[in-house]
């Protein structure tokens, strides 16, 4: 009989009245359902180091697995740490830990472990994972007070790939770390999932095992301790070994396919782009009845399409759905995106008077599209709508945009936005759904006495209801503070370093 049987299952732990208690938990297999940390090392490798770094981690995985299961758990983890981190900037690792990993960690949170962990007043995590990798998620999203993890060596701001003393926190090393942290005041509860967790669990007043059960469902999104509104990174799916291998193999094929799709959108007449996209595996679904183009001879100004913002390709797919190019106003897109764009793009200056004058002039020439959220959001939320557009015209048509990507996200807050269109079109079969809603009635516009904020909030609610999304008051600044550590302001100096110039 396994030594694990000495401790009862976590399901038997009473979580009531634990407000003054301390809980100490392992991470992989305990707080998280999955026992393997490989997908998270692979995420760091790809998001901070690129495709070649991910390939290096993949090639090292068989050796790491052999050492882990047959020789030394510590040695296997050290191989993964070296392959992932050697030479990588510490700031990049921290950035991935803050902006990318929480989305994947949150989707794997064990319901029973979280029930006990969240009930305690003081929370500690003991993990073999590098502390720098998990700290952002554990502190920001789980309210963890103490994080005892493996420490990696650094030199001049870069990780060496080697582990600092006392080494990888496994087995007895976890117990030593626990004694050092808590001294003669043992924690009330210890949570683990394997034999190597027993030494630290034995130091706690109560110990509970988390049995491995691949069928257990993760904590649902609506019950997460903190909703994931913003997250970054290119990978859509958790890169388990097979998925990581497929990603590496697909990238050269996907890039060629993306170039073909972009060329078709940029070079073909807009009425043909819809059919070209379908022939190349890009699905575009159009719902609702769009308004006909305005004739200049009528003297009427153009329609302002108000879109929810999913990627910088929203205006292009709107034009594809209409079969005619619609100019778009943008805050900042890369020069490459402007060059390959099949529609006219006009940059906003963020000077209210200047931008208002420019938009009015564009509407006199015809229809126009704007994304008043100011930045993209991947999750089912709508950010706060900037209200300026409502003051400029009464001809407003809300448009609900939805996209589907199976492999890569077509947005980024930390990386170079020039690659956004390529990553979107690198998906095997990306899809866009464009839903045209009814034109805003005159009595709901500013001309009828409504304030611009009332109009903007109403359109936000209409689009959210159509998509079954949730309205929020978050803004562009909130997103970039959460993901990039700045407020998303575009630097005016053209020589500013690229990683400080943030787009939408």
């Amino acid at each position: 009989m396994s030594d694990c049987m000495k401790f009862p299952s976590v399901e038997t732990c009473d979580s009531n009245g634990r407000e003054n208690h301390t809980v100490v938990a392992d991470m992989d297999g305990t707080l998280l359902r999955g026992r393997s940390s490989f997908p998270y090392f692979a995420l760091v490798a790809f998001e901070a180091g690129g495709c070649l770094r991910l390939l290096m981690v993949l090639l090292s995985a068989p050796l790491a697995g052999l050492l882990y299961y047959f020789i030394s758990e510590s040695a296997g983890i050290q191989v993964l740490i070296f392959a992932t981190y050697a030479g990588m900037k510490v700031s990049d690792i921290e950035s991935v830990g803050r902006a990318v990993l929480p989305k994947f960690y949150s989707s794997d949170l064990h319901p029973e472990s979280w029930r006990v962990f969240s009930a305690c007043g003081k929370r500690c995590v003991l993990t073999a994972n590098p502390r720098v990798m998990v700290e952002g998620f554990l502190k920001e999203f789980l309210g963890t007070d103490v994080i005892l993890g493996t420490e990696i060596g650094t030199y001049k701001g870069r990780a060496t790939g080697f582990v600092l003393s006392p080494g990888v926190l496994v087995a007895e090393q976890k117990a030593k770390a626990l004694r050092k942290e808590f001294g003669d005041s043992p924690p009330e509860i210890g949570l683990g999932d394997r034999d190597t967790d027993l030494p630290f669990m034995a130091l706690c007043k109560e110990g509970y095992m988390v049995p491995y059960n691949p069928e257990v469902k993760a904590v649902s999104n609506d019950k997460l301790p903190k909703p994931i509104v913003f997250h970054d990174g290119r990978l859509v799916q958790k890169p388990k070994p097979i998925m990581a291998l497929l990603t590496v193999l697909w990238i050269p094929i996907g890039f060629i396919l993306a170039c073909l799709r972009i060329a078709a959108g940029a070079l073909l007449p807009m009425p043909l782009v819809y059919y070209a996209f379908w022939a190349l595996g890009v699905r575009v679904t159009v719902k609702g009845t769009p308004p006909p183009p305005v004739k200049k001879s009528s003297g009427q100004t153009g329609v302002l399409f108000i879109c929810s913002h999913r990627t910088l390709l929203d205006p292009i797919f709107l034009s594809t759905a209409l079969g005619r190019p619609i100019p778009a106003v943008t805050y900042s897109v890369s020069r490459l995106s402007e060059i390959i764009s099949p529609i006219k793009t006009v940059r906003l200056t963020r000077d209210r008077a200047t931008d208002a004058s420019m938009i009015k002039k564009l509407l006199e020439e015809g229809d126009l599209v704007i994304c008043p959220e100011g930045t993209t959001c991947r999750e089912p939320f709508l950010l706060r709508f900037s209200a300026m557009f409502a003051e400029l015209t009464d001809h407003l048509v809300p448009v609900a945009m939805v996209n589907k990507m199976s492999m890569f996200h077509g947005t980024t807050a930390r990386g170079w936005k020039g690659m956004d269109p390529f990553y979107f079109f690198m998906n095997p079969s990306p899809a866009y759904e464009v839903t045209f809603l009814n034109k805003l009635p005159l009595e709901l516009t500013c001309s009828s006495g409504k304030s611009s904020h009332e109009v903007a909030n109403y359109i936000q609610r209409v689009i959210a209801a159509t998509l079954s999304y949730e309205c929020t008051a978050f803004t562009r600044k909130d997103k970039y503070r959460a993901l990039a550590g700045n407020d998303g302001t575009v630097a005016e100096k053209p020589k500013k370093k690229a990683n400080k110039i943030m787009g939408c």
Side-chain angles (χ1 to χ4, degrees), residues 135-154:
E135 191 170 40
F137 167 69
L138 292 175
K139 281 191 174 181
E140 182 69 20
F141 291 89
L142 298 192
T144 307
D145 302 290
V146 180
I147 301 167
L148 303 176
T150 300
E151 298 291 343
I152 58 175
T154 61

Side-chain angles (χ1 to χ4, degrees), residues 85-127:
Y85 294 113
M88 191 176 288
K89 287 184 179 179
V90 175
S91 59
D92 289 341
I93 301 171
E94 292 172 339
S95 178
V96 172
R98 180 182 64 247
V100 180
L101 296 183
K103 167 64 177 177
F104 294 94
Y105 280 138
S106 293
S107 66
D108 201 28
L109 198 58
H110 195 291
E112 285 298 318
S113 300
W114 173 243
R115 175 181 62 84
V116 177
F117 192 78
S118 61
C120 294
K122 185 174 182 179
R123 306 165 187 173
C124 173
V125 170
L126 267 173
T127 177

